[in-house]
Amino acid sequence: MMVMMWCWASMAEGEYMLYKDPKQPQNIRINDLMKRMSLEEKIGQMTQIERSVASKEVMKKYLIGSVLSGGGSTPSKHATPKTWINMVNDFQNGALSTRLGIPYIYGIDAVHGHSAAYGATIFPHNSGLGVTRDPVLIKKIGAATALEVRATGIQYTFAPCIAVCRDPRWGRCYESYSEDPEIVRLMTEIIPGLQGEITDDSKKGAPFVNGQQKIAACAKHYVGDGGTHLGENTGSTMISSKKMFGIHMPAYNDSVVKGVATIMASYSSWNGVKMHANRKLVTGYLKNKLKFKGFVISDWQGIDSITDPPHANYTYSILAGINAGIDMVMVPYNYTEFIDGLTYLVKNKFIPMSRTDDAVRRILRVKFTMGLFENPLADYSMIKYLGCQEHRDLAREAVRKSLVLLKNGKSSTKPLLPLPKRASKILVAGSHANSVGYQCGGWTVEWQGSSGNVTTGTTILSAVEKTVDPNTQVIYNENPNRHFLKSNSFDFAIVVVGEPPYTEGFGDSLNLTIPEPGPSTIKNVCGSVKCVVVLIAGRPLVVQPFIDTIDALVAAWLPGTEGQGVVDVLFGDYGFTGKLARTWFKSVDQLPMNVGDPHYDPLYPFGFGLTTTPTKTT
Ligand code: BGC
Ligand code: BGC
């Protein structure tokens, strides 16, 4: 009896399983695995939970298919890559110890570089990158981000955000490359950077992730997130079909053609219909018409807000969301409620088994495509990429190309920029002059970003100190008063002011003013010293009231950790080349106002940007 049992057990262990054989065609592997899976195992695959509620045991017991880091959710403060990898692998060991050993996938918001990880290279946010209109550069940024994410053992990012922000009052406008759908389309080149370039034999719509140096991407938020009324985050986009498909949809088509692995549903509504429940657009258009074969993920508690108030009827939310075509749900905390609800709905045929099977196939397809079954565990060999010099140099280049020179001199014959490196005494002022956190903005280490030294980087002040002639005296005063300004004689001043960091709805603003003390710093300094104002902001802000006092004005967006890039251009080592990818309004009551609108009367039009000639002698 004992011998028989032993024989039987070892046979089972050694049994050849088609789905585990990498030589088998992908469809055969998926079919084989699907046949073996119980309903419980399938529903587990559709469940994404937050790392704070995940553990090896939870992964195993609930057969969880995916884990995420919510904004600012890290294994420890300033976690090292090793700590990240150990956490990711620990959960994986839980997933691998289940009956079928299906690997889970870990997702994170690497939205301007591996932005949650301390010590990573932080690239400019998308509003700055759109200015470059440089698809080669953005692809390189994607590739660098993939390496840095892999350096921490993670395989999946919730990026790029391909929103077309039509109203800067929206708090997420900086996550958008442009108000112009064509620029956003161009910037989908970040997808082949993150995932790898699709091969000629790839089927249209099939997800593509090329091996262990690449990560799965996520085009978000489907669709119309940047078009909401008054720019309200998660609000309703009230536009015609023609505008929805002409403005907000095209970049999704490009993303699908480029093999994007996943697409995230938007919190927003289209003419009052929640996107998380929009079967026509999620299943009808994305899956059936565009032939998207990766998986659709919900946003964070996104199905909850199908009802108003959110979570009022969670069973209904699951029903409406899954039937609309959502494949994986970012639950992310109360996973038993989700699992129980979905199980009930499938067992009682409110949701057809064909729907959950479609969802699971898509999730497995992404996992097989990226080689997760063959390489489920990360090693330490890629740690060296996190924040490496090569990536910082790339980010610095991106910063230089993202700057837009809006004004240069009180008269065009007397430009202020480029600034001379040799002077007797210069002033650096402003709330944003000496803060890596402020120049990075939201989604940097913390969900909302933060002030001060949030991560490793170069502030604009320290870059100025490094750049000027050794005999030039650099005086830093964050918010100098008149007396201080009068009692010193400065050759010129660099004033760096702007918005404090914010993320999502916290950034919604109906007035778009530069918060105090920014305006007073501008007035005081520029009232008595020749000045260039560098604006650190995710979007155009109200500048008309002080534009006449300012000698030169530079829009630097949210440049990230490499502040040296700003200074490279201010002092003429490189020229200004950036052209506005957004319209700069005069006053907020003009909004929304985008290029091509009949009432177009901007302060600086879309495409505007002065240039300078580099003074560098090589
Ligand atoms: C999470 C974020 C998420 C947000 C949604 C936060 O608590 O950390 O990742 O985007 O909630 O409101
Ligand atoms: C945001 C998404 C993000 C998710 C996970 C949500 O609140 O809308 O863009 O990917 O949280 O952090």
Side-chain angles (χ1 to χ4, degrees), residues 12 127 138 232 255 264 269-270 311 315-316 383 416 468 471 495 535 552 561 615:
S127 56
I138 192 87
E232 185 204 351
S255 302
M264 189 186 292
S269 306
W270 181 25
H311 210 87
T315 311
Y316 173 75
I383 287 180
L416 178 65
V468 294
N471 295 317
V495 179
L535 196 62
T561 49
T615 52

Side-chain angles (χ1 to χ4, degrees), residues 70-71 109 267 300 333 443 447 504:
D109 293 283
Y267 283 133
W300 176 280
Y333 296 124
W443 291 118
W447 179 41
E504 300 183 42

Side-chain angles (χ1 to χ4, degrees), residues 68 71 109 158 172 220-221 264 267 299-300 330 443 504:
L68 89 150
D109 293 283
F158 307 123
R172 304 191 78 161
K220 70 186 189 184
H221 310 80
M264 189 186 292
Y267 283 133
D299 203 337
W300 176 280
M330 192 185 284
W443 291 118
E504 300 183 42

